[in-house]
Amino acid sequence: ELFQNRVFRIVMVTDIIQQLGIWVRNIAVLFFVIEQTQADPVAVSLISVAEYLPMFVFAYIGGTLADRWNPKHTMIWGDYLSALSVGAVILAVAMGAWQGIFLVTFLSTVITQFSVPSSAILFKRFIPAEQINAAISLSQAQNRIQEASRKYLQDPWVMVEVAEYRSRPLYLLGQFRASGTYYMDRPLTL
């Protein structure tokens, strides 16, 4: 049912495209900085700072403003500005000012902190109440797995799809042949 919702499909597809674009940008920028600086540890560390510092600083600001701004426009402008940031990276490289990549990467990550919370707001507005937890959980699961993977992988890209919904647990405790947790795949009525 969730995948029948047009808003859910659009937001999930744009989130996946955005995450893929960010991953490609981060890997390309990392390899380029490694090549330009002969793997200078300070330069490589600064790229990580440019990528992750805005997440800590602007996540709260972006979430607060996303509540006040039109989420559809915020997502569109955020994706548009992210695309422009890729052009800025290419321009910086072409002009020989590759150090500008640090600033462009920082600004691109700041932009993302404004557009990502808007998808959760769109979920809450356009997805039926009984499906909202599954929709947000899917997006949050993807983000949390990706963040947890960063401890072990450089810029991981994660995609989460639902294979089966089992959201209504039934707990059988006591003297049953097979006690435990069972999930009901149909409506429960008494």
Side-chain angles (χ1 to χ4, degrees):
E1 283 180 42
L2 188 57
F3 290 100
Q4 302 300 321
N5 187 302
R6 181 177 171 267
V7 171
F8 177 77
R9 286 193 320 264
I10 290 171
V11 170
M12 286 307 294
V13 166
T14 57
D15 281 353
I16 289 169
I17 291 170
Q18 182 182 43
Q19 292 300 321
L20 179 61
I22 290 169
W23 180 78
V24 168
R25 182 209 61 209
N26 289 349
I27 291 294
V29 165
L30 176 66
F31 287 148
F32 184 75
V33 168
I34 288 172
E35 180 182 308
Q36 291 295 312
T37 64
Q38 287 74 42
D40 179 33
V42 173
V44 172
S45 298
L46 283 175
I47 280 296
S48 295
V49 168
E51 291 172 357
Y52 296 112
L53 181 64
M55 290 180 192
F56 297 111
V57 175
F58 291 98
Y60 297 109
I61 297 168
T64 302
L65 292 176
D67 287 336
R68 295 188 175 136
W69 293 345
N70 181 324
K72 180 179 175 183
H73 293 153
T74 304
M75 284 182 63
I76 291 170
W77 275 105
D79 291 344
Y80 176 71
L81 292 172
S82 290
L84 284 178
S85 73
V86 171
V89 167
I90 293 169
L91 184 64
V93 171
M95 293 178 59
W98 65 269
Q99 294 88 346
I101 290 175
F102 294 100
L103 178 62
V104 172
T105 301
F106 179 82
L107 292 175
S108 179
T109 307
V110 168
I111 291 166
T112 303
Q113 301 313 305
F114 290 92
S115 63
V116 169
S118 297
S119 63
I121 292 169
L122 284 175
F123 282 164
K124 290 177 184 175
R125 286 188 186 169
F126 295 102
I127 294 176
E130 64 272 4
Q131 295 176 341
I132 193 70
N133 286 338
I136 290 178
S137 296
L138 189 62
S139 179
Q140 287 177 346
Q142 180 176 325
N143 290 337
R144 287 186 181 172
I145 292 169
Q146 186 169 350
E147 288 303 316
S149 299
R150 289 185 198 274
K151 293 178 184 176
Y152 309 104
L153 303 170
Q154 177 71 31
D155 294 321
W157 184 62
V158 175
M159 187 170 134
V160 176
E161 292 184 25
V162 176
E164 181 180 1
Y165 287 101
R166 295 168 21 148
S167 62
R168 296 190 174 165
L170 175 66
Y171 303 99
L172 296 178
L173 303 173
Q175 292 186 355
F176 292 95
R177 190 177 341 183
S179 62
T181 304
Y182 295 89
Y183 293 91
M184 304 305 292
D185 60 355
R186 59 187 72 84
L188 297 174
T189 57
L190 294 176

